[in-house]
Amino acid sequence: MRGTGSPGLCLRFQGLRLGALPVPSTPGVACRGVTRTVQWICLIYFAYVNLPSFFFFLPVFCVDNSGVGFSPAAASRRERPGVGLGREERAVQSCEQAEVGAEGTEQGQRTRGTRDWVFLRGVIGSGLCIFSKFPILDTLLYQYSLNGYPYMLQHGDWFCGKSVGLAVIKISGIVFNVYVTHLHAEYCREKDAYLPHRVVQAWELLQFIRHTSKAADVVLLGGDLNMHPQDVGIRLLRCWTGLRDAFTETKRFEGCEDGCTLIPSNRFTVKSELQPFPLGIRIDYILYKAGSSFTVKCEELQTTTGTAPGTDIPYSDHEAVMATLHVQRTGQAAGVTPGTAVPALVEVLSEARTEVRVGLLAARRQRYSSGRMALLALLLLLLQAAAALGALAGLADGQPFPKLSFALLAFLALGVLLLATGLHLFHTIEVKMLQGTEEQMRMALGVLQERPGRS
Amino acid sequence: MRGTGSPGLCLRFQGLRLGALPVPSTPGVACRGVTRTVQWICLIYFAYVNLPSFFFFLPVFCVDNSGVGFSPAAASRRERPGVGLGREERAVQSCEQAEVGAEGTEQGQRTRGTRDWVFLRGVIGSGLCIFSKFPILDTLLYQYSLNGYPYMLQHGDWFCGKSVGLAVIKISGIVFNVYVTHLHAEYCREKDAYLPHRVVQAWELLQFIRHTSKAADVVLLGGDLNMHPQDVGIRLLRCWTGLRDAFTETKRFEGCEDGCTLIPSNRFTVKSELQPFPLGIRIDYILYKAGSSFTVKCEELQTTTGTAPGTDIPYSDHEAVMATLHVQRTGQAAGVTPGTAVPALVEVLSEARTEVRVGLLAARRQRYSSGRMALLALLLLLLQAAAALGALAGLADGQPFPKLSFALLAFLALGVLLLATGLHLFHTIEVKMLQGTEEQMRMALGVLQERPGRS
């Protein structure tokens, strides 16, 4: 492994989005008891209502040179049509043997307990998973502070508790920090109400990576970032972390044109949303970065191009992305990561800060209007109470309102009061979060402008 | 600074809990516009209703040997009675000059933009603050996944968004990772419903520290941990991170007996809660750890012992803690941090896991009962709808119920349905979080039992 001329380590990093199968509570047992029909109903239903986080993003590690990989997707392929990639045939068998304990080798036993990991978060799970053939040494989950609105039930992102998961994996003495994430979806590009939230998520993601990856030899990030390659969030993320995009860096590419992962020909995608992009869009990424004494090169990048072999059903609503990375120890600790120039950092950060500010203004408006609504409802309730007390004290002749309408109105006012108060609280939290991020960005800009080098 | 015989760096780390003043939105401007009366009303009201997170925990750095410190608490002492420590007289003046820009030195200008930082989180703020005389290079905030229940309004912890804040500070070329946190309060030691939440928070805190402190030379943690020194959470935290308790390690101690920070003689404490502990309890800590080529020693630890000078009002409901730490570069990279023995780690982790499991059972029970309540309310609503339809279709003779009672019952059922559904969702999230932590602990135990050394 040492020396410049050594072959290095060749790794396969595979990013999948699987269809609507609940995260298995015991790792390694991939919903074996669920019948085919139930799975199909789930798959079609959830693809239809577009609950994006109910789809898994599964980055899977496979070592190419040993020929023994691990693909949980393929592990239960026989029971799950449309899931599992044909190329992993041998990997599958090895994995299944290890899983049932038939393989008695040391490797099999060593990796048994720590081979895979499931991240849980939110009401219906975070939808994040990292499966690894190699022992996972440590994990951490960071939940983004903003993630849509609970009352946007038709989108449902809020319930999924969008997070970034980290697994520390040691392969041949090299420490890999593998991050997996899923950012808030973009439902309407022209009038994207979730853009500030996504920018905040990108900021928190880059902060989390920077703070937790200092002891890592190689950093890998895979995920559905829900951002086009030129969007402000992804530029911010790449500039600040120094992560490189496997698609732009790869030597060989095979798959959909322009590396698109959300393509119109997929039967689960919403065609109207993709009208401005006839080729589709690229929103699923594999990004990587080497530590000071390593180099990482992307040898090959692949995406799936439609349906699973022998069936007309796609693997998921997004195309899977697979990268083959070549990791090499350089021997000397040198600053391999190219530092982005300070003016570029300042520019992208200012742009991101503007987006956060726009979001802050909108959140303040919503907080104000929900507060006003709560006050009005309270006033109405107080008026009604006064009227009722007046009637009881015999101040009014007869009964000014029919009892039923009076009670209905009171209940309506109470309902509005509760709802508006809840909204007010929620938007207050949103304002705090946006303010906090804006403040952090301001501080980062200050640090940048004070010093000509990167911190 | 190099060499074994060098004097090293002597730092003052000061942990305060200040009274109920809202977190200032612009750092450095500590509520100058708020009048004394309003402050007093706030202070007494919030101490009375025991909203613990509305109190600040302010760790303040002062360099002893230069004689120039920074104490924001004291900075506005003239406007805030009962806040500010008399010993920081000189520090105050320097700070105020730097703040108003009168001090034109390079040091003053360099620290101007990055001198202090405010963490915001939750509806009424996280209550966390780090003020530093030295430039803060970077910050990160991690919100705990569990933090009490929103319907426990009398405790209010949920609304405060308990978090851990990190500030990376460079002093004389040494990288300090300063963490500040506030865990969920303990309201009843015998029947502590929040114990599983606090254990989860302690687990997340130690995970966060371990993952983010790998590049740090010195790690400092200050905060109101709301745990007695022998509680499972604090043992877990200390065992897994290798953090040392300034109180047990200090050469000199001055202050309340046994280092207590919540003492019965403080007028803001609830006397009945402290009856089993006549001396008080120690729940505010300063913990520290040195990196591989540094040593840290606690030279002196102090707590305040009651009221502020010249007044009969205490600084806060807790006593402030101040530690003087001596940081020295050892020259060689040696494993200075004493590794806890694996059996001890396994024991404390198993104990913590049991607590999480107890919490999981309780959360499942609550999820079940709220789900059943929601179902019953739904059934009642459906029955009412059937009865109403029956009456409309003329199936029933006359009217079985008076209209008003019928409408009231329907609204009641609807209210119960909404409330119970909300509770069910909340407890589902709680179950997921506890499950996730339990799973992480299971994995950590597996890793420990596989290997005799620490990961």
Side-chain angles (χ1 to χ4, degrees):
Chain A
M1 290 297 299
R2 284 179 191 281
T4 323
S6 70
L9 185 69
C10 211
L11 284 168
R12 196 91 185 287
F13 185 61
Q14 183 169 318
L16 294 180
R17 267 169 68 103
L18 293 191
L21 295 158
V23 176
S25 59
T26 47
V29 184
C31 313
R32 280 166 190 276
V34 186
T35 67
R36 183 183 289 205
T37 322
V38 172
Q39 284 175 22
W40 270 105
I41 292 170
C42 287
L43 186 68
I44 292 158
Y45 175 71
F46 283 104
Y48 174 69
V49 300
N50 200 13
L51 267 177
S53 272
F54 215 80
F55 292 89
F56 297 171
F57 183 86
L58 301 177
V60 184
F61 267 111
C62 305
V63 178
D64 263 357
N65 49 2
S66 77
V68 180
F70 176 58
S71 168
S76 51
R77 188 178 35 83
R78 261 172 267 154
E79 294 161 77
R80 268 193 278 165
V83 167
L85 299 168
R87 293 174 65 112
E88 303 303 327
E89 208 59 36
R90 281 179 64 199
V92 175
Q93 289 161 7
S94 298
C95 148
E96 278 191 323
Q97 279 167 6
E99 200 171 334
V100 296
E103 196 182 52
T105 62
E106 194 196 323
Q107 170 102 5
Q109 285 177 341
R110 202 173 119 253
T111 57
R112 212 178 131 65
T114 51
R115 195 182 48 229
D116 44 9
W117 189 251
V118 178
F119 292 109
L120 300 164
R121 189 64 63 117
V123 181
I124 52 173
S126 70
L128 301 177
C129 243
I130 293 178
F131 288 80
S132 164
K133 183 180 167 288
F134 302 94
I136 295 178
L137 300 182
D138 222 334
T139 61
L140 188 65
L141 192 67
Y142 179 94
Q143 191 169 12
Y144 299 125
S145 57
L146 287 177
N147 189 31
Y149 306 100
Y151 50 83
M152 297 303 272
L153 289 173
Q154 75 276 30
H155 295 160
D157 291 55
W158 187 84
F159 292 92
C160 304
K162 290 274 192 301
S163 320
V164 46
L166 157 65
V168 181
I169 302 171
K170 210 171 193 170
I171 309 173
S172 303
I174 306 172
V175 177
F176 285 78
N177 269 25
V178 183
Y179 299 86
V180 61
T181 193
H182 190 176
L183 303 193
H184 198 291
E186 182 187 77
Y187 295 98
C188 171
R189 195 158 174 82
E190 285 70 44
K191 223 178 161 182
D192 186 10
Y194 301 113
L195 181 58
H197 286 208
R198 214 177 303 109
V199 172
V200 169
Q201 290 183 340
W203 174 254
E204 292 182 355
L205 173 61
L206 77 87
Q207 288 274 76
F208 182 70
I209 292 176
R210 282 176 63 222
H211 282 281
T212 55
S213 68
K214 280 174 181 155
D217 298 322
V218 178
V219 175
L220 288 170
L221 167 64
D224 174 0
L225 301 185
N226 271 314
M227 294 185 283
H228 295 224
Q230 284 312 309
D231 281 2
V232 60
I234 196 124
R235 281 187 286 127
L236 185 72
L237 175 68
R238 290 188 50 200
C239 275
W240 276 78
T241 55
L243 283 167
R244 287 185 289 168
D245 187 348
F247 176 74
T248 56
E249 304 277 335
T250 184
K251 287 181 189 165
R252 288 187 300 283
F253 175 72
E254 197 184 306
C256 299
E257 212 169 327
D258 286 345
C260 295
T261 55
L262 191 66
I263 54 173
S265 61
N266 187 304
R267 68 163 68 175
F268 296 131
T269 53
V270 183
K271 304 291 170 287
S272 59
E273 282 178 12
L274 286 174
Q275 257 176 0
F277 311 99
L279 290 176
I281 49 177
R282 185 160 75 91
I283 55 174
D284 300 273
Y285 297 84
I286 291 177
L287 306 172
Y288 61 89
K289 185 174 80 162
S292 58
S293 48
F294 287 86
T295 55
V296 182
K297 280 176 193 153
C298 184
E299 298 285 333
E300 193 180 5
L301 192 80
Q302 285 180 301
T303 69
T304 54
T305 51
T307 56
T311 160
D312 60 342
I313 306 294
Y315 298 111
S316 166
D317 62 334
H318 288 213
E319 299 306 314
V321 186
M322 288 147 284
T324 306
L325 302 178
H326 186 263
V327 182
Q328 203 168 19
R329 207 188 288 265
T330 53
Q332 75 268 18
V336 177
T337 313
T340 311
V342 171
L345 282 175
V346 170
E347 192 192 327
V348 69
L349 190 55
S350 306
E351 204 178 322
R353 197 179 160 203
T354 308
E355 290 300 342
V356 173
R357 273 187 184 159
V358 169
L360 188 57
L361 284 179
R364 280 198 180 124
R365 256 199 314 274
Q366 283 173 304
R367 180 177 66 168
Y368 171 74
S369 39
S370 54
R372 194 180 48 186
M373 180 73 84
L375 262 182
L376 286 177
L378 187 67
L379 268 180
L380 181 59
L381 267 182
L382 289 176
L383 269 178
Q384 282 200 297
L389 282 175
L392 278 177
L395 291 177
D397 293 337
Q399 202 178 328
F401 293 109
K403 266 186 186 172
L404 182 66
S405 316
F406 198 79
L408 281 178
L409 191 64
F411 271 103
L412 190 71
L414 194 68
V416 170
L417 177 64
L418 287 177
L419 201 72
T421 309
L423 277 178
H424 184 72
L425 276 178
F426 181 81
H427 287 298
T428 304
I429 298 177
E430 192 191 2
V431 165
K432 290 257 176 197
M433 303 298 179
L434 288 163
Q435 257 179 350
T437 308
E438 208 264 341
E439 194 78 352
Q440 280 192 339
M441 288 177 167
R442 188 192 59 77
M443 192 186 79
L445 273 174
V447 171
L448 272 183
Q449 281 157 354
E450 267 176 23
R451 291 175 301 169
R454 284 183 75 202
S455 64
Chain B
M1 289 295 301
R2 286 181 190 279
T4 323
S6 69
L9 185 68
C10 211
L11 284 169
R12 197 91 186 286
F13 184 61
Q14 183 170 319
L16 294 180
R17 267 169 67 101
L18 293 191
L21 295 158
V23 176
S25 59
T26 47
V29 184
C31 311
R32 279 165 191 278
V34 185
T35 66
R36 184 183 287 205
T37 321
V38 172
Q39 284 175 24
W40 272 104
I41 291 168
C42 288
L43 185 69
I44 292 157
Y45 174 72
F46 283 104
Y48 175 70
V49 300
N50 198 13
L51 266 177
S53 271
F54 215 80
F55 293 89
F56 296 171
F57 183 87
L58 302 177
V60 184
F61 266 112
C62 304
V63 178
D64 263 357
N65 50 2
S66 77
V68 180
F70 175 57
S71 168
S76 50
R77 188 177 35 80
R78 263 171 266 155
E79 293 160 78
R80 268 194 278 167
V83 168
L85 298 167
R87 293 175 64 113
E88 304 302 327
E89 209 58 36
R90 281 179 64 200
V92 176
Q93 289 165 6
S94 297
C95 147
E96 282 192 322
Q97 280 168 6
E99 199 172 334
V100 297
E103 194 181 55
T105 62
E106 194 197 325
Q107 169 101 5
Q109 284 176 343
R110 200 173 121 252
T111 57
R112 214 179 129 65
T114 52
R115 193 183 50 231
D116 46 6
W117 188 250
V118 178
F119 293 108
L120 300 165
R121 187 65 63 118
V123 181
I124 53 172
S126 70
L128 301 177
C129 242
I130 293 178
F131 286 81
S132 163
K133 183 181 167 286
F134 301 95
I136 294 178
L137 300 182
D138 221 334
T139 61
L140 187 64
L141 193 67
Y142 179 94
Q143 191 168 14
Y144 299 125
S145 57
L146 288 177
N147 189 31
Y149 305 101
Y151 50 83
M152 298 301 273
L153 289 172
Q154 76 276 30
H155 295 160
D157 290 57
W158 187 84
F159 292 92
C160 303
K162 290 276 191 302
S163 320
V164 46
L166 158 66
V168 181
I169 302 171
K170 211 170 192 170
I171 309 172
S172 303
I174 307 173
V175 176
F176 285 78
N177 268 26
V178 184
Y179 299 87
V180 62
T181 192
H182 190 176
L183 304 192
H184 197 292
E186 183 186 77
Y187 294 98
C188 170
R189 194 158 175 84
E190 285 69 42
K191 222 176 160 182
D192 185 9
Y194 301 113
L195 181 57
H197 285 209
R198 213 178 302 110
V199 171
V200 168
Q201 291 183 340
W203 174 255
E204 292 181 354
L205 172 62
L206 76 88
Q207 289 274 76
F208 182 71
I209 292 176
R210 281 175 63 221
H211 282 281
T212 53
S213 67
K214 280 172 182 156
D217 298 323
V218 178
V219 175
L220 288 170
L221 167 63
D224 174 0
L225 303 184
N226 271 313
M227 294 185 281
H228 295 224
Q230 283 311 310
D231 282 1
V232 59
I234 196 124
R235 281 186 285 128
L236 184 74
L237 175 69
R238 290 187 50 199
C239 275
W240 276 77
T241 54
L243 284 167
R244 287 185 289 167
D245 187 349
F247 176 72
T248 57
E249 306 276 334
T250 184
K251 286 182 190 164
R252 286 187 303 281
F253 174 73
E254 197 185 306
C256 298
E257 210 170 327
D258 287 344
C260 295
T261 55
L262 192 66
I263 54 173
S265 61
N266 188 304
R267 68 163 67 175
F268 296 132
T269 54
V270 183
K271 303 291 171 289
S272 59
E273 281 178 13
L274 286 174
Q275 256 176 1
F277 311 100
L279 289 176
I281 48 177
R282 185 159 75 90
I283 55 174
D284 300 273
Y285 297 84
I286 291 177
L287 306 171
Y288 63 87
K289 185 174 81 164
S292 58
S293 47
F294 287 86
T295 54
V296 182
K297 280 175 194 155
C298 183
E299 298 285 332
E300 193 181 5
L301 193 79
Q302 285 180 301
T303 70
T304 54
T305 50
T307 56
T311 159
D312 58 342
I313 305 293
Y315 297 111
S316 167
D317 62 336
H318 287 213
E319 298 307 313
V321 185
M322 289 146 282
T324 306
L325 302 177
H326 186 264
V327 182
Q328 201 168 20
R329 209 186 286 264
T330 55
Q332 74 267 20
V336 176
T337 312
T340 311
V342 171
L345 282 176
V346 170
E347 193 191 324
V348 70
L349 190 54
S350 306
E351 204 179 323
R353 198 178 161 205
T354 307
E355 290 301 341
V356 174
R357 274 185 184 161
V358 170
L360 188 57
L361 284 178
R364 280 198 181 123
R365 257 199 313 273
Q366 282 174 305
R367 180 177 65 168
Y368 171 73
S369 39
S370 54
R372 194 179 50 185
M373 181 71 87
L375 260 182
L376 286 176
L378 187 67
L379 268 178
L380 181 60
L381 267 182
L382 289 177
L383 269 177
Q384 283 200 297
L389 282 175
L392 277 177
L395 291 177
D397 293 335
Q399 202 179 328
F401 294 108
K403 267 188 185 169
L404 182 65
S405 315
F406 198 79
L408 282 178
L409 191 64
F411 270 104
L412 189 72
L414 193 69
V416 170
L417 177 65
L418 287 177
L419 200 72
T421 309
L423 276 180
H424 184 73
L425 276 178
F426 181 82
H427 287 297
T428 304
I429 298 177
E430 192 191 3
V431 165
K432 291 258 177 198
M433 303 299 178
L434 287 164
Q435 257 178 351
T437 307
E438 209 265 340
E439 192 79 352
Q440 280 192 339
M441 287 178 168
R442 189 190 59 76
M443 194 187 78
L445 273 175
V447 171
L448 271 185
Q449 279 156 356
E450 266 176 23
R451 290 173 303 168
R454 285 182 77 202
S455 66

